[in-house]
Amino acid sequence: MSRKVYLGLDTSCYTTSVAVLAEDGGLLGEARRILSVKPGRCGLQQSEMVFQHTRNLPELVESVLQGKDYELAAIGVSGYPRPLENSYMPAFLAGLSVARSLAALTGAKLEIISHQENHLEAGVWSAGGPWVQRFLLLHASGGTTDLLLAERQDNGRCRITQVGGSIDLHAGQFVDRVGVALGLQFPAGRALERVAAGAEARAELPVSVRKLNVSLSGPCTAALRALERGTDGAALALGVEYALGETFARLLRNGAAAYDVQDALLVGGVGSNQYIRQHVEAKLAKRGVRLWVPEGRFSCDNAAGCAALAWRMNCKHE
């Protein structure tokens, strides 16, 4: 007898991802591939993203489905960046086209969500919560530094509304610009974290938080100038981590007070940094706010959230 499974697909700016969940919500398999960026460059054009996703997807889908006696019960896919009208990015069309084709072929239910909702779903699925009615979501990545209010709806999904965030540079851009300047490969998050681990002291960088808005361009400029002056690379990397951790902690603290919530979920590639997580968690605990963090690999770009949404909407309520 075939085993019912729930497939997730996500084609973000820099990662092609596939995940499969079982009927109990457990992970049966997942595969992902970071898009190739030439050394010294800080990104890709959308056309190159689509090309690489189109090339990667068949291999990744085969790696998790081929040879398995699976019945696709439902498919979740990221179809656009944010849950907003006219939110669009060509990279997501690669995953959406494969998901629609598979759904038409197999009769599986298709659930289309935003990439941001995928991060929320992956975070809740991995962290085991929060399952409260209202909570804060901080999505910190290369393309997003958004503070969002998440509210559970009667249809089983969460409505997320942006209530704050960065007014200029995104957290991942801050990390990548400093990382590339240090000679690290883009995207530089994991490498910068390793460099920072060897620091004996941290470079002092400014932190700019005003109520529910933050600015990261000033801290980034200060970091690059410090590097030009000969500041130790490890100390600078640790300074970047501290500046981001302190920025996130103050932003979430202010958001919790403004919206009277006691739970916050931190997701996104920058949110997978262990130093930043620990700093934010400790700071929020002093204010009685609980920080929920998914496993690191499910904080950065992945397809588990899409699979989890497909599972939750089509299995638990059968």
Side-chain angles (χ1 to χ4, degrees):
M1 182 176 178
S2 298
R3 184 176 190 178
K4 279 189 176 182
V5 297
Y6 301 84
L7 177 67
L9 303 175
D10 183 77
T11 51
S12 65
C13 287
Y14 296 105
T15 307
T16 314
S17 306
V18 178
V20 180
L21 299 191
E23 284 193 279
D24 63 359
L27 184 69
L28 287 174
E30 68 125 0
R32 65 184 80 173
R33 186 174 297 166
I34 296 176
L35 304 190
S36 177
V37 179
K38 292 181 180 180
R41 290 181 58 185
C42 287
L44 292 171
Q45 293 182 341
Q46 283 289 319
S47 59
E48 179 64 19
M49 294 178 193
V50 173
F51 170 73
Q52 292 195 43
H53 284 314
T54 303
R55 184 181 59 191
N56 292 342
L57 271 172
E59 295 179 5
L60 297 184
V61 170
E62 288 168 357
S63 72
V64 298
L65 294 182
Q66 197 169 49
K68 308 290 198 310
D69 189 14
Y70 288 162
E71 174 191 345
L72 287 181
I75 302 169
V77 61
S78 297
Y80 40 93
R82 292 178 172 87
L84 301 172
E85 186 177 0
N86 299 321
S87 180
Y88 169 76
M89 190 174 288
F92 294 105
L93 295 180
L96 183 59
S97 63
V98 171
R100 289 180 62 181
S101 297
L102 285 172
L105 179 65
T106 64
K109 180 71 179 298
L110 180 62
E111 303 283 355
I112 303 173
I113 60 174
S114 69
H115 177 68
Q116 199 159 61
E117 290 168 298
N118 172 53
H119 272 292
L120 182 153
E121 294 289 344
V124 171
W125 170 79
S126 175
W131 287 107
V132 294
Q133 190 66 29
R134 299 166 74 247
F135 59 94
L136 290 176
L137 171 69
L138 179 55
H139 180 192
S141 67
T144 307
T145 303
D146 290 349
L147 179 66
L148 305 122
L149 179 66
E151 300 173 286
R152 297 197 177 279
Q153 305 298 295
D154 291 340
N155 64 5
R157 297 198 181 194
C158 278
R159 179 177 64 199
I160 54 177
T161 306
Q162 185 171 356
V163 295
S166 177
I167 61 173
D168 41 48
L169 207 63
H170 295 308
Q173 292 175 312
F174 181 11
V175 169
D176 288 330
R177 291 183 185 184
V178 175
V180 170
L182 287 169
L184 306 176
Q185 175 68 28
F186 177 95
R190 292 182 181 178
L192 185 131
E193 188 172 4
R194 289 193 295 269
V195 171
E200 296 182 359
R202 64 176 171 84
E204 294 291 336
L205 297 175
V207 173
S208 179
V209 179
R210 187 169 185 177
K211 295 184 179 178
L212 301 184
N213 292 316
V214 306
S215 172
L216 296 173
S217 62
C220 183
T221 299
L224 295 175
R225 287 177 177 170
L227 184 61
E228 291 175 354
R229 294 194 301 268
T231 299
D232 175 69
L236 187 61
L238 183 58
V240 170
E241 288 185 325
Y242 180 87
L244 285 170
E246 186 63 19
T247 296
F248 295 169
R250 296 182 193 181
L251 179 61
L252 286 168
R253 176 196 66 193
N254 295 346
Y259 288 93
D260 190 27
V261 297
Q262 286 76 46
D263 295 88
L265 177 65
L266 176 60
V267 299
V270 180
S272 68
N273 181 291
Q274 290 298 316
Y275 178 95
I276 292 174
R277 288 177 171 213
Q278 292 169 6
H279 183 90
V280 176
E281 186 173 22
K283 288 277 185 168
L284 291 185
K286 295 179 180 179
R287 298 299 183 97
V289 178
R290 181 174 181 180
L291 183 69
W292 298 79
V293 289
E295 186 181 342
R297 62 183 176 139
F298 297 117
S299 181
C300 52
D301 286 350
N302 69 93
C306 290
L309 186 279
W311 164 72
R312 189 164 55 79
M313 297 294 290
N314 296 281
C315 181
K316 293 184 71 176
H317 303 293
E318 287 181 351

